[in-house]
Amino acid sequence: MRRYLLKRLLYLVPVMLGVSIITFGLVSLVPGDPAEIIMQSGGTEVTREAVEAMREELGLNDPVYIRYLHWLNDVLHLDLGESYRTGRPVAEEIFCRFPATLELSLAAVLFMLLVALPSGILAALHRHAFVDHISRIWALFGASVPGFWLGLLLIYYFSVRLGVFPVMGRGGVKHLVLPAVTLGFGMAAVYARLLRASMLEVLGQDYIKVARARGVKEKLIIGRHAFKNALLPVVTALGMGLGHLLGGAVIVETVFAWPGVGRLLVDAIFNRDYPVIQGYALTMAVVFVFINLLVDISYFYLDPRIRPGRGNNIFRS
């Protein structure tokens, strides 16, 4: 296990290096002069001489690879630069907003699990029955509905018409309900069908038939053997989904005026705040990579076949 973890951590080095090159390269190709943007945001008179002086001060006249090496050196010292718009350190801007996005993402995952797990299990246990048909229709609807449209619909009925939940902003639990449901609704539909398919596959395995033939109680078969083994593909997708939520809650945060990193990114794009865009992309990449590492580690506990000394052991490779 320790050897496997060390190897995976070493794999992260070239991955993160590639991410840093892509992040810096793409943002460098965006049209617009950062020096001019800084001067305009600061209210300074924009003249050719002043812009040239600012470009020289920021090192923008250096070749791209020199600028990349300087930026990479700063990143390795946890310095993501300063925002052109606010003048604050980018790392501080991101980490001030990150708890809000994390809170929203975890609430969406909680909603997803509360809905998807019972729906998937019931659909598998009652295959082709009424429950299964409802689950299929709901999955199709949930995967098709755009998040911004669902969010506006929820705001109209539950905030404007009924006045049950706040329209926007971050506060107590009530502020969290509508954006979490909006963000988790589509995921719940997809994961319910994924769990159903995985449960059906596991329930058709020989060891389940043997357990039933030996008279093991059905609740024990479902809860201890089938459900646990059926979780492997769900956990894999959940890891990818959580990373996607953390980095992709941009639309929902904008609709509900949620003060997370997604909204920070939108503001940075509109203001051409390149250091914030670069810092956001790099931070989300790091989060995504480490979530996938945690998913791989969770296999160790969920599937006995991959533990050392048991069958096909991936930790030996």
Side-chain angles (χ1 to χ4, degrees):
M1 181 66 177
R2 188 178 300 173
R3 184 182 171 189
Y4 172 76
L5 282 178
L6 183 61
K7 188 182 290 186
R8 288 303 308 270
L9 289 173
L10 289 176
Y11 286 163
L12 296 184
V13 176
V15 171
M16 294 312 304
L17 189 61
V19 168
S20 69
I21 293 174
I22 294 172
T23 302
F24 185 84
L26 289 178
V27 175
S28 297
L29 292 175
V30 175
D33 191 338
E36 195 173 329
I37 294 170
I38 294 173
M39 296 182 71
Q40 288 175 342
S41 63
T44 310
E45 184 182 358
V46 181
T47 61
R48 179 178 292 276
E49 293 75 16
V51 170
E52 279 301 319
M54 180 64 76
R55 288 183 61 83
E56 193 64 33
E57 182 183 342
L58 294 175
L60 295 175
N61 291 327
D62 295 335
V64 175
Y65 70 93
I66 295 293
R67 283 190 280 144
Y68 168 73
L69 291 176
H70 287 159
W71 178 75
L72 185 62
N73 180 59
D74 292 339
V75 168
L76 292 176
H77 291 85
L78 301 180
D79 181 6
L80 299 178
E82 293 182 352
S83 167
Y84 290 164
R85 188 168 60 91
T86 64
R88 296 175 60 192
V90 174
E92 187 179 320
E93 291 264 15
I94 291 176
F95 287 110
C96 283
R97 300 288 193 97
F98 195 76
T101 296
L102 184 63
E103 178 184 315
L104 176 60
S105 300
L106 292 178
V109 169
L110 179 63
F111 169 78
M112 184 274 291
L113 292 176
L114 290 175
V115 176
L117 293 184
S119 301
I121 294 173
L122 286 175
L125 297 179
H126 302 281
R127 189 181 185 186
H128 301 315
F130 178 74
V131 176
D132 193 19
H133 293 312
I134 293 295
S135 174
R136 185 177 293 116
I137 295 171
W138 170 58
L140 184 62
F141 179 73
S144 308
V145 173
F148 70 91
W149 183 81
L150 179 63
L152 293 175
L153 200 67
L154 292 175
I155 288 175
Y156 176 71
Y157 278 105
F158 291 98
S159 300
V160 179
R161 295 285 298 272
L162 301 177
V164 178
F165 299 108
V167 177
M168 56 183 62
R170 184 189 182 203
V173 177
K174 281 190 172 183
H175 289 80
L176 195 58
V177 173
L178 294 186
V181 171
T182 304
L183 201 56
F185 187 79
M187 286 182 62
V190 173
Y191 281 74
R193 298 307 292 175
L194 183 63
L195 181 59
R196 172 192 178 274
S198 183
M199 282 285 292
L200 287 175
E201 183 180 350
V202 173
L203 289 172
Q205 297 291 323
D206 290 340
Y207 69 91
I208 296 292
K209 296 175 183 176
V210 171
R212 283 175 172 156
R214 294 177 61 183
V216 179
K217 291 182 179 179
E218 190 68 16
K219 289 183 179 177
L220 195 61
I221 293 174
I222 300 297
R224 178 174 295 181
H225 302 292
F227 177 66
K228 185 178 177 181
N229 292 332
L231 275 181
L232 279 176
V234 179
V235 169
T236 304
L238 182 62
M240 302 288 288
L242 184 57
H244 181 72
L245 283 179
L246 287 170
V250 177
I251 296 175
V252 175
E253 289 186 1
T254 304
V255 170
F256 289 94
W258 190 263
V261 289
R263 198 172 170 207
L264 176 69
L265 176 66
V266 173
D267 294 339
I269 291 173
F270 279 118
N271 292 289
R272 295 181 182 178
D273 200 344
Y274 300 147
V276 174
I277 298 172
Q278 286 175 329
Y280 172 88
L282 193 65
T283 304
M284 288 302 113
V286 172
V287 170
F288 204 87
V289 166
F290 275 96
I291 286 177
N292 278 279
L293 178 63
L294 292 177
V295 169
D296 287 347
I297 294 173
S298 70
Y299 285 176
F300 181 83
Y301 298 99
L302 287 174
D303 192 347
R305 293 172 297 179
I306 62 177
R307 293 176 189 170
R310 297 190 182 190
N312 298 326
N313 182 9
I314 65 172
F315 293 97
R316 289 176 178 171
S317 60

